[in-house]
Amino acid sequence: MQQPALVAVAHGSRDPRALLTAEALLERVRELRPRLDVRLGHIELNHPLLGRTLERAAGSAVLVPLLLGRGTHVKRDLPAAAARAGHLRIRIAAPLGPHPLLVEALYERLVEAGWSPGSAVVLAASGSRDPDSATDVRATAGLLSERLGGVPVMAAYASGASPGVADAVRALAARGLHRVAVASYFTAPGRFASASAAAAPGPAAAPLGAHPALARLVLQRYDEARAALVAPVRQEHSRELATA
């Protein structure tokens, strides 16, 4: 049985570094699983757009959102794109976060930026009006706090939700926490990541980018969704053998 294609779904950005980052991440995925058909599609702004990627696919596919939590894109845009691709059997994987592998990448990016033990952290995310998205960011903040030895980690947002990154920095300072680093909870460079870094009073971590932990997580999400996609086919094949 041919395995489904892995279609990684990026948001898209006007920053040219975002496309380069997505491509670099998928190269890591291909290195980990060379025989897997790995493709890229964007929700907006960059080519190839997701619809075009799905048009060129055949058989079955697993859509793996390169998104860090639940929100409109995961809940509405991806199912709509899958419904339009009627020639494919499609399963949509869970978003990348929350997950311990993401936390490991965040930790290593903070250390690379010069975070020192004991310093508080603002976890800067893009922001969404969807309450599930905020829940997922707060869950990641909790996991990151544990990974950093229990230091305070406050979730903050570049847009669409509060508190903003600068507000979170001030809130931590009001609690006497003046050593504060910013963790960049973004998959790629862009306007929000740059604005969040600019608000940092201390070290500002780079976006997650093509971190090896993300490549492993993309494959884990693919495998989880693939199991659900393949199971009905196996059951049907078993029934055919039983009645042959």
Side-chain angles (χ1 to χ4, degrees), residues 58-99:
S60 58
V62 172
L63 308 189
V64 180
L66 301 183
L67 305 170
L68 301 176
R70 295 167 293 172
T72 299
H73 295 312
V74 172
K75 293 180 179 180
R76 187 186 68 190
D77 295 340
L78 269 61
R84 289 191 293 269
H87 64 294
L88 293 173
R89 294 180 61 251
I90 293 178
R91 188 80 178 186
I92 301 172
L96 298 182
H99 196 278

Side-chain angles (χ1 to χ4, degrees), residues 102-126:
L102 277 182
V103 172
E104 195 60 31
L106 285 166
Y107 169 77
E108 292 188 12
R109 292 293 189 228
L110 279 167
V111 171
E112 291 168 358
W115 174 83
S116 57
S119 297
V121 172
V122 171
L123 180 65
S126 59

Side-chain angles (χ1 to χ4, degrees), residues 4-23:
L6 188 164
V7 178
V9 185
H11 182 277
S13 171
R14 292 183 176 86
D15 191 316
R17 296 173 296 172
L19 176 58
L20 295 175
T21 300
E23 291 173 339

Side-chain angles (χ1 to χ4, degrees), residues 84-177:
R84 289 191 293 269
H87 64 294
L88 293 173
R89 294 180 61 251
I90 293 178
R91 188 80 178 186
I92 301 172
L96 298 182
H99 196 278
L101 283 170
L102 277 182
V103 172
E104 195 60 31
L106 285 166
Y107 169 77
E108 292 188 12
R109 292 293 189 228
L110 279 167
V111 171
E112 291 168 358
W115 174 83
S116 57
S119 297
V121 172
V122 171
L123 180 65
S126 59
S128 170
R129 293 181 177 86
D130 189 308
D132 287 336
S133 177
T135 296
D136 291 344
V137 176
R138 289 194 297 269
T140 298
L143 291 171
L144 181 59
S145 175
E146 293 176 9
R147 181 65 179 85
L148 296 175
V151 303
V153 176
M154 180 175 289
Y157 306 94
S159 177
S162 59
V165 176
D167 292 334
V169 170
R170 287 191 288 270
L172 289 170
R175 293 163 52 185
L177 300 166

Side-chain angles (χ1 to χ4, degrees), residues 3 5-8 19-41 48 53 66 212 214-216 218-219:
Q3 59 185 337
L6 188 164
V7 178
L19 176 58
L20 295 175
T21 300
E23 291 173 339
L25 174 61
L26 296 191
E27 279 306 306
R28 286 193 181 273
V29 172
R30 294 184 184 101
E31 290 170 3
L32 290 171
R33 200 166 298 181
R35 296 183 181 180
L36 181 60
D37 180 6
V38 178
R39 308 184 183 204
L40 176 63
T53 298
L66 301 183
L214 259 70
R216 298 199 302 274
V218 167
L219 285 171

